[in-house]
Amino acid sequence: AVVTTPLSLADVVVGEYLWAATRAVIYGVVFLIVMAAVGLVHSPWALLAPPVFLVGALTFAVLGMAYTALVSNIEQFNILFTGIITPMFLFGGVFFPFSGLPEWAQVVGWCLPLSHLVAATRDLTLGGADLMTLAHVGFLVAVLVAVFPFPAARMRRKWVRSTRESLRTVRSDGRPSSTMPRSAVRRTRAAAARLARPSGIASTGRSALVVAEVSLSVALLITSGLLIRALWRLHAIDPGFQQAGVLTLRTALPTPKYEKVVQREAFYE
């Protein structure tokens, strides 16, 4: 598959970015719809939450791919989950507000991208969006732009180095010799050269797939925005009475004694 694929390594990396971002935005929109349905969304600025989800998802996708490019074996991913992700949830303001943390923990928390994503999302959904919310999003964009090119460049160097090492063995006299058939060597070297070239869309089919995925993501964001706006307007409908201080009570009458509708109406009257 590596030998015959027309994709470059950078194309694969960017595809991972887009797929991770697509999944994260879908999850975020679903949670946002549930929050709106149960009345936990208190600001119309929540319509801007899906784009923030997209920025945050791309940021974490790039960071995750950067760590993947640095590790040498799968066991090192345990360090990522136990040493980075878990502390980030604890100090990122997800479960505990910053006001309840020590000062040093607050400083650490604001250095984490998750803290800014959580703060921006809360400002948009619970009310209180201001310039600070924009600053939180700006922090995520800065991290995204700074780290974006690193994973592809790092993986390209690792792949080329490992391919060269697999193509050669060293004889006792120190001269390199290929242990593979010449045709396989030529195909593998061609694939290595293709993967080492700069990123770029090389075929119309791949361009169409990228356009289709982006279009689908935009359509999903627009649809979710319209649905959230409809739910918000439904929530803002005046019921005709003041809801503050209203107490509701539901009673269940025993069926054998109040089986007929007339009997139940007589009880309530």
Side-chain angles (χ1 to χ4, degrees):
V2 174
V3 174
T4 59
T5 180
L7 292 174
S8 68
L9 187 59
D11 293 334
V12 177
V13 173
V14 174
E16 288 291 334
Y17 294 164
L18 295 177
W19 171 236
T22 301
R23 291 182 58 188
V25 171
I26 292 175
Y27 293 156
V29 170
V30 170
F31 276 100
L32 188 63
I33 293 174
V34 173
M35 290 177 59
V38 299
L40 296 179
V41 176
H42 303 291
S43 172
W45 287 105
L47 296 175
L48 297 179
V52 175
F53 296 160
L54 179 62
V55 174
L58 285 174
T59 301
F60 281 99
V62 170
L63 292 175
M65 190 61 68
Y67 185 85
T68 303
L70 292 173
V71 300
S72 58
N73 55 72
I74 195 172
E75 285 76 14
Q76 294 181 358
F77 281 98
N78 294 328
I79 302 176
L80 173 66
F81 291 107
T82 59
I84 299 178
I85 294 181
T86 301
M88 185 165 55
F89 272 94
L90 295 177
F91 295 101
V94 178
F95 305 110
F96 311 103
F98 279 142
S99 59
L101 297 176
E103 293 185 1
W104 65 267
Q106 296 182 27
V107 174
V108 172
W110 284 122
C111 295
L112 303 174
L114 182 61
S115 306
H116 297 274
L117 179 59
V118 170
T121 304
R122 284 178 176 169
D123 290 343
L124 293 174
T125 56
L126 302 181
D130 52 13
L131 292 179
M132 194 62 187
T133 307
L134 188 61
H136 292 313
V137 179
F139 180 88
L140 296 174
V141 173
V143 174
L144 173 61
V145 173
V147 187
F148 189 92
F150 171 76
R154 173 71 177 179
M155 288 187 175
R156 186 182 301 117
R157 290 194 298 267
K158 291 178 64 175
W159 195 93
V160 172
R161 183 171 62 250
S162 63
T163 301
R164 289 173 179 173
E165 292 175 354
S166 64
L167 286 174
R168 295 181 178 182
T169 59
V170 180
R171 292 178 178 176
S172 58
D173 58 358
R175 291 179 299 174
S177 172
S178 175
T179 60
M180 301 172 60
R182 290 185 178 181
S183 59
V185 171
R186 287 195 298 268
R187 290 196 301 269
T188 308
R189 284 177 177 172
R194 184 168 58 248
L195 289 173
R197 73 176 185 268
S199 173
I201 303 300
S203 79
T204 305
R206 284 186 290 132
S207 300
L209 289 176
V210 172
V211 172
E213 182 174 2
V214 174
S215 302
L216 182 61
S217 301
V218 172
L220 177 63
L221 292 176
I222 294 175
T223 303
S224 62
L226 294 175
L227 178 60
I228 293 173
R229 185 178 67 175
L231 292 174
W232 177 258
R233 289 183 176 180
L234 182 63
H235 180 71
I237 293 178
D238 186 8
F241 60 90
Q242 294 185 359
Q243 303 178 30
V246 176
L247 178 64
T248 61
L249 177 64
R250 176 177 295 180
T251 59
L253 300 178
T255 304
K257 187 175 181 180
Y258 299 93
E259 183 176 1
K260 297 181 179 180
V261 178
V262 178
Q263 294 174 332
R264 292 194 292 270
E265 290 178 351
F267 173 84
Y268 287 116
E269 291 177 355

